[in-house]
């Protein structure tokens, strides 16, 4: 049975996350949006000082769940992560992504690494010390088709030599250049093997041969950097390949998909946090204007505003329940690739609808920069794009339901 009942300790922790969002993120949200490439170092320091003082781990994957959370409910790490992600993205999604955390890189380590590698590369996160993690998959020649990797990794004695260019790496600049950061780079060790030859490699910060050549100017989540990373004769130790170097039909690309199964519910939770921020603002605004939302009456008697607002609520709750289910399945060891894609696809659609409708309902005020609603609309759109576009996730859902292969339905 699916059980989403939260223990008092977890509820108290979520209240602390909400306080961080309200008092540390919201006050600097607009400034960080308008000054995209200026890093809020004081915010980083405050976050980690608060973390050390209160034992709060600002999580972005399972490795970030606190020991208290683990003790309070066995195998709740993924559910805890999506709950905390929603609260922090209610504050600011860009700042959430820019905060030192294990990110997609940590998720790849958890999905593909050996127990020793998980301990080695994620130890600093578990200790609550600042560190950035990023993942580099996308290349100029492909977007959502992650099987089309052209970056190569060639063995040379006791090292792997990586060559290639990766684009749109979330937190790539911080992970590649800052102390104690790392980037998980997906490269092929055998082009003739196709998908089976794709492997993940941990490249630590400031490794010779790895450089950030571009940082994007973006529509939304502007507090977070999105980087282009070039790897030119980049040499790393053999044991920085996550998992086995053996090329097996059941390995390689499936490790990429396993990573997405873990991270797509988190991206969905990000969307839910942004959508909830917009919904909460509209609710409070309508209340201030003495506009009541009348529940329990005939739909024919509802005003247009009431119908729109209720639809926003329904969409948010549907996305949340799908996300919680996907996280719960991951925690209980169940295969969740269908549910993870469903959650991500639904949340991306829902947050786009909710934030656009919020701007519409508020009229000129919603379109202005006096309040954050227009920013939330911009921040929302990325959730329909990264971690697999809306279209890709819908195709995955269709394949799983119809039991089709990628060759049969593409």
């Amino acid at each position: 049975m699916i059980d989403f009942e939260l223990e008092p300790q977890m509820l108290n922790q979520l209240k602390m996350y909400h306080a961080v969002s309200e008092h540390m993120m919201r006050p600097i949200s607009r400034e960080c949006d308008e000054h995209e490439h200026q890093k809020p170092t004081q915010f980083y320091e405050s976050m980690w000082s608060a973390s050390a003082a209160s034992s709060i781990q600002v999580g972005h994957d399972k490795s970030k769940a606190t020991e208290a959370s683990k003790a309070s409910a066995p195998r709740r790490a993924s559910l805890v992560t999506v709950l905390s992600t929603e609260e922090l993205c209610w504050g600011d999604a860009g700042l959430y992504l820019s905060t030192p955390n294990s990110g997609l890189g940590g998720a790849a380590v958890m999905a593909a690494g050996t127990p020793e590698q998980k301990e080695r590369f994620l130890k600093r996160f578990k200790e609550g010390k600042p560190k950035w993690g990023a993942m580099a998959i996308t290349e100029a020649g492909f977007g959502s088709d992650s099987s089309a990797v052209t970056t190569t990794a060639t063995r040379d004695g006791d090292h792997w030599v990586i060559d290639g260019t990766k684009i749109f790496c979330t937190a790539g600049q911080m992970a590649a250049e800052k102390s104690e950061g790392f980037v998980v780079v997906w490269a092929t060790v055998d082009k003739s093997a196709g998908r089976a030859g794709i492997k993940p490699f941990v490249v630590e910060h400031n490794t010779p041969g790895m450089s950030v050549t571009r940082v994007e100017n973006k529509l939304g989540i502007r507090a977070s950097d999105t980087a282009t990373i070039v790897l030119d004769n980049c040499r790393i130790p053999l044991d920085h390949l996550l998992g086995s170097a053996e090329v097996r039909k059941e390995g390689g690309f499936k490790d990429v998909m396993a990573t997405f199964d873990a991270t797509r519910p988190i991206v969905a939770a990000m969307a839910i946090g942004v959508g909830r921020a917009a919904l909460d603002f509209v609710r409070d605004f309508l209340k201030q204007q003495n506009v009541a939302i009348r529940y329990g009456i005939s739909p024919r008697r509802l005003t247009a505003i009431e119908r729109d607002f209720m639809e926003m609520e329904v969409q948010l709750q549907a996305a949340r329940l799908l996300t919680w289910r996907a996280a719960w399945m991951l925690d209980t060891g169940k295969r969740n690739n269908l549910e993870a894609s469903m959650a991500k696809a639904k949340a991306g659609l829902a947050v786009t609808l909710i934030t656009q409708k919020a701007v519409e309902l508020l009229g000129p005020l919603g379109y202005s920069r006096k309040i954050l609603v227009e920013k939330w609309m911009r921040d929302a759109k990325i959730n329909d794009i990264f971690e697999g576009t809306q279209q890709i996730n819908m195709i995955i859902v269709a394949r799983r339901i119809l039991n089709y292969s990628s060759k049969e339905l593409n």
Side-chain angles (χ1 to χ4, degrees):
M1 184 180 76
I2 301 177
D3 178 18
F4 296 140
E5 184 176 356
L6 302 177
E7 299 77 12
Q9 191 171 23
M10 185 63 227
L11 292 173
N12 289 334
Q13 192 171 349
L14 290 177
K15 289 180 181 178
M16 287 189 284
Y17 284 128
H18 189 79
V20 167
S21 289
E22 185 174 9
H23 302 296
M24 297 175 66
M25 289 179 156
R26 285 284 181 92
I28 63 172
S29 184
R30 177 63 73 184
E31 180 182 358
C32 290
D33 180 69
E34 294 181 349
H35 301 89
E36 182 171 7
H37 301 304
Q38 295 181 15
K39 299 301 178 185
T41 53
Q42 187 175 357
F43 168 74
Y44 297 155
E45 293 171 0
S46 298
M47 286 289 286
W48 283 95
S49 296
S51 174
S54 62
S55 299
I56 299 175
Q57 295 281 351
V58 180
H60 195 56
D61 59 70
K62 290 195 297 185
S63 68
K64 298 292 287 175
T66 64
E67 294 302 318
S69 298
K70 292 177 183 177
S72 65
R75 305 180 73 172
R76 283 288 188 98
S78 295
L79 184 57
V80 167
T81 298
V82 299
L83 289 167
S84 60
T85 297
E86 177 183 334
E87 287 298 333
L88 291 168
C89 289
W90 181 90
D92 189 284
L95 283 170
Y96 165 72
L97 287 172
S98 73
T99 303
N101 62 70
S102 56
L104 294 177
V109 173
M110 289 298 295
T114 65
E116 183 277 329
Q117 288 173 327
K118 293 175 186 178
E119 175 63 26
R120 175 159 41 112
F121 293 122
L122 301 178
K123 180 179 180 181
R124 189 172 179 87
F125 297 117
K126 293 177 180 178
E127 293 174 347
K129 298 177 181 177
K131 183 174 182 176
W132 280 267
M135 186 159 68
I137 291 185
T138 306
E139 300 176 5
F142 72 87
S144 293
D145 183 9
S146 302
S147 65
V149 168
T150 62
T151 297
T152 60
T154 307
R155 181 166 179 173
D156 182 15
D158 294 333
H159 291 81
W160 291 101
V161 181
I162 305 179
D163 290 284
T165 299
K166 298 292 186 178
I167 62 174
F168 301 142
C169 302
T170 301
Q173 182 183 35
M174 303 301 284
E177 297 180 348
K178 294 297 182 181
S179 176
E180 301 297 336
F182 69 84
V183 180
V184 173
V185 177
W186 292 85
T188 179
V189 297
D190 183 356
K191 288 186 178 180
S192 65
R195 292 184 173 190
I198 299 171
K199 300 288 183 180
F201 300 84
V202 174
V203 183
E204 299 194 278
H205 72 285
N206 292 331
T207 298
M210 178 172 69
S211 59
V212 175
T213 60
R214 176 183 172 87
V215 181
E216 301 293 334
N217 295 308
K218 305 187 298 299
L219 173 73
I221 57 167
R222 290 165 56 85
S224 169
D225 72 79
T226 303
T228 294
I229 297 177
V230 172
L231 300 117
D232 182 12
N233 195 34
C234 182
R235 300 175 66 87
I236 61 172
L238 286 181
D239 63 359
H240 280 219
L241 183 154
L242 295 174
S244 171
E246 180 184 359
V247 175
R248 296 173 288 112
K249 183 178 180 180
E250 66 274 14
F253 187 68
K254 288 191 175 181
D255 289 334
V256 182
M257 294 297 98
T259 301
F260 287 148
D261 293 344
T263 58
R264 279 175 177 157
I266 300 171
V267 173
M270 288 179 56
I272 293 164
V274 176
R276 200 184 98 207
L279 190 66
D280 287 350
F281 189 94
V282 172
R283 181 187 293 107
D284 291 342
F285 179 83
L286 293 177
K287 187 175 180 180
Q288 291 170 8
Q289 303 303 312
N290 296 317
V291 177
I293 304 297
R294 298 170 297 168
Y295 297 93
I297 66 173
S298 170
R300 286 193 245 176
R301 296 176 56 197
L302 295 174
T303 64
I305 290 177
E306 288 174 313
R307 285 195 297 271
D308 284 345
F309 187 83
M310 288 179 184
E311 178 63 18
M312 293 161 72
E313 289 183 309
V314 167
Q315 293 293 328
L316 187 72
Q317 185 66 357
R320 180 184 285 121
L321 289 174
L322 285 170
T323 301
W324 286 10
R325 181 178 65 166
W328 172 83
M329 291 179 71
L330 192 64
D331 283 337
T332 54
K334 300 178 187 295
R335 191 180 184 192
N336 76 332
N337 53 353
L338 168 62
E339 291 75 14
S341 289
M342 289 174 68
K344 201 276 182 182
K346 179 61 177 178
L349 284 172
V351 71
T352 301
L353 180 150
I354 291 166
T355 54
Q356 289 180 353
K357 184 59 69 173
V359 169
E360 178 185 325
L361 290 176
L362 294 170
L365 179 63
Y367 200 70
S368 76
R369 298 166 68 87
K370 293 180 180 179
I371 58 176
L372 292 171
V373 176
E374 62 81 26
K375 176 187 178 300
W376 293 331
M377 185 178 73
R378 291 187 284 109
D379 288 345
K381 190 56 189 174
I382 191 61
N383 295 284
D384 220 13
I385 299 173
F386 67 0
E387 291 288 297
T389 63
Q390 176 68 223
Q391 294 81 359
I392 287 293
N393 277 285
M394 295 295 278
I395 288 174
I396 292 172
V397 170
R399 287 174 185 163
R400 297 295 178 267
I401 292 175
L402 299 174
N403 198 27
Y404 283 176
S405 68
S406 57
K407 292 181 179 179
E408 292 171 314
L409 180 59
N410 57 36

